[in-house]
Amino acid sequence: VLPENVNGKIKLSASNPDDEALVCAADYFGHSFVNRKENLAIIFNKEANISSEVEVLYTIEFTSKRKRMSVIVKDGKNIRMFCKGADTVMYSRFKSGQDDLISKTDSDLRTFALEGLRCLLIS
């Protein structure tokens, strides 16, 4: 996702609608993607009123075999991996002992699918 400043407002350009939707959802929940410089993403936390840099260490692109995409980032001292993908592959990557959460998530996904919405899971 590439942010562009158009007339003082950030406009997002993404190679696919899933990426743009995830960045828009993050913005809705108070974390705006405001800039990208080489391997850094600049994120603005609306509640704390601060910007921070997140270093993108590695991206594992989506493939039809993996059915997911992953990105490894460094946020301060923390290194994290985020994944997005189809429910069929993501459920198996959930931490064990989360049966209630998986059941609720599955129920919600079915409801969204019946409304014609495309659904991905992130972890």
Side-chain angles (χ1 to χ4, degrees):
V1 178
L2 297 172
E4 301 175 67
N5 192 329
V6 178
N7 299 325
K9 288 193 160 209
I10 301 295
K11 181 182 180 307
L12 301 173
S13 298
S15 60
N16 69 66
D18 296 336
D19 291 350
E20 187 172 344
L22 290 171
V23 171
C24 288
D27 183 66
Y28 177 82
F29 289 106
H31 300 276
S32 299
F33 180 51
V34 295
N35 205 355
R36 182 162 191 147
K37 299 176 187 174
E38 296 178 21
N39 63 332
L40 296 176
I42 313 301
I43 311 297
F44 180 71
N45 181 321
K46 295 176 185 178
E47 185 176 316
N49 199 33
I50 59 169
S51 291
S52 61
E53 292 182 345
V54 176
E55 182 180 2
V56 179
L57 300 174
Y58 194 74
T59 301
I60 306 168
E61 297 295 340
F62 177 91
T63 67
S64 57
K65 183 178 180 181
R66 293 181 72 240
K67 296 183 182 176
R68 66 187 182 280
M69 177 196 174
S70 304
V71 63
I72 301 168
V73 299
K74 184 175 183 182
D75 179 10
K77 294 180 182 179
N78 300 311
I79 295 178
R80 303 170 196 255
M81 183 169 85
F82 295 96
C83 297
K84 68 170 184 172
D87 57 340
T88 55
V89 295
M90 296 299 288
Y91 281 142
S92 66
R93 280 144 184 87
F94 284 10
K95 184 178 171 181
S96 62
Q98 296 190 22
D99 296 337
D100 290 343
L101 177 61
I102 290 171
S103 178
K104 173 70 171 125
T105 300
D106 190 57
S107 174
D108 290 340
L109 286 177
R110 289 176 193 277
T111 299
F112 298 148
L114 287 173
E115 293 178 18
L117 299 174
R118 176 173 158 78
C119 300
L120 290 174
L121 295 178
I122 57 173
S123 69

